[in-house]
Amino acid sequence: MWAVSGGADSGGAGLVNFVLLGTTVATQFAVPWAIGRAGWAWVLSLGMVFLGVPSLLHLLTADLGPVLALSAVRGVGFGILTVAANAAAVLLVEPARRGAAVGAYSFALSLPLVVVMPVGGWVADAVGFWPVFVVGALPLAGIPACVAVARHLPARSTHDASHPEVAEPTTSRATYLALLRPTLVLLAITFAGGAVITFAPQMVQVPWLSAAGLFAVGLLSAITRWQVGGLADRAGAQRLLVPAVLVSALVLAALAWVVRSPVDASRAVPWILVCALVGVCYGTLQTLTMLRAFEAAGPRRVGAASAVWNAGFDTGTATGSLVVGWVAVASGFGPGMALAAVLCLLTVPLARVAPRR
């Protein structure tokens, strides 16, 4: 919206998210190396700076070039935060409580979206862009917490704290192949989630339906990511993953049916209900695939697991926004979401493969 207010067309506006996610993915694989060189406190704090400062600098100009440059810097910060905070959540607890830790971290990550995602565009339109950019600078307030949590982590490594003197080993091809399986399952559900988050306003006829649907997605995703972690500690992520994938494919098929034509007020109930179920599936598979990734990588490759998982998340989100948009131009959002359901179903064989010990 800011780029469009500065004269960009819809293609230029789409580049803003593409650039941010592109630098995010490029950064994520370098985060374990950076922690090994500079330590946790510096890396986490720099991530907060790269996220917060450019948000305020957006206020200086809406020209597309500077907006893209600032988005690229914010992507670096986002890449640092997602990988480092993800790994920290795992390293702060013993393996038996890993699911609960991942659930708590995921809840903290998701909860702000419950409010911000539905109302951000409305605030920018009704009040102005400056409140949005000020809120975008709030990561700067997290720098003291970065320094504090760093004291409880291995000084310069992203592997199990029981071996602090040994650097994280080089990740083998077999490990990356093992990580690829849960990451592809994740990519399928974030493909669908990215499409819903991006195109909810175009899927409905009444603006409040978009806000209500996104609120349902965000709230149920946050709660589910939190609660599924503890459940996985008791039942095992492996046992839960295949049923979760099957249910997700069914829910996405239902969403495809609901959005076969633009949703009006007469179909508000099925729209909000299916959005809530999408949120449940979105949150469940995020937590389960994250736990499976850490299991596949082993305790000494936590950083690699976090980097690959987060790259899969952001790649799926960006790809879903792009591909479903293309399909919708030709055939509508019903076929676009049906494609997402089919992709999710195709990952069932990958979900069945148990992680190597």
Side-chain angles (χ1 to χ4, degrees), residues 172-315:
S172 66
R173 180 182 299 179
T175 299
Y176 277 122
L177 288 175
L179 286 171
L180 189 60
R181 298 183 190 109
T183 302
L184 287 174
V185 177
L186 171 73
L187 194 148
I189 193 64
T190 55
F191 179 97
V196 172
I197 291 168
T198 302
F199 297 114
Q202 285 76 50
M203 292 177 177
V204 300
Q205 289 184 351
V206 187
W208 71 264
L209 284 176
S210 170
L214 289 175
F215 179 81
V217 171
L219 179 63
L220 271 297
S221 174
I223 294 172
T224 306
R225 289 184 74 176
W226 176 28
Q227 294 297 317
V228 166
L231 178 61
D233 282 339
R234 297 188 296 272
Q238 170 67 26
R239 292 177 60 187
L240 300 174
L241 191 56
V242 172
V245 172
L246 291 172
V247 170
S248 297
L250 186 62
V251 167
L252 292 174
L255 177 62
W257 175 255
V258 170
V259 301
R260 66 192 184 279
S261 60
V263 179
D264 56 23
S266 67
R267 287 187 285 154
V269 172
W271 161 252
I272 295 172
L273 178 61
V274 78
C275 284
L277 292 175
V278 168
V280 170
C281 298
Y282 193 52
T284 297
L285 286 179
Q286 285 178 52
T287 296
L288 293 180
T289 54
M290 187 186 297
L291 292 171
R292 284 286 305 276
F294 287 127
E295 291 172 4
R300 297 182 64 204
R301 294 182 176 86
V302 169
S306 181
V308 172
W309 185 92
N310 278 285
F313 184 99
D314 293 321
T315 301

Side-chain angles (χ1 to χ4, degrees), residues 159-172:
H159 61 72
D160 195 318
S162 61
H163 303 284
E165 72 286 352
V166 182
E168 181 166 320
T170 302
T171 305
S172 66

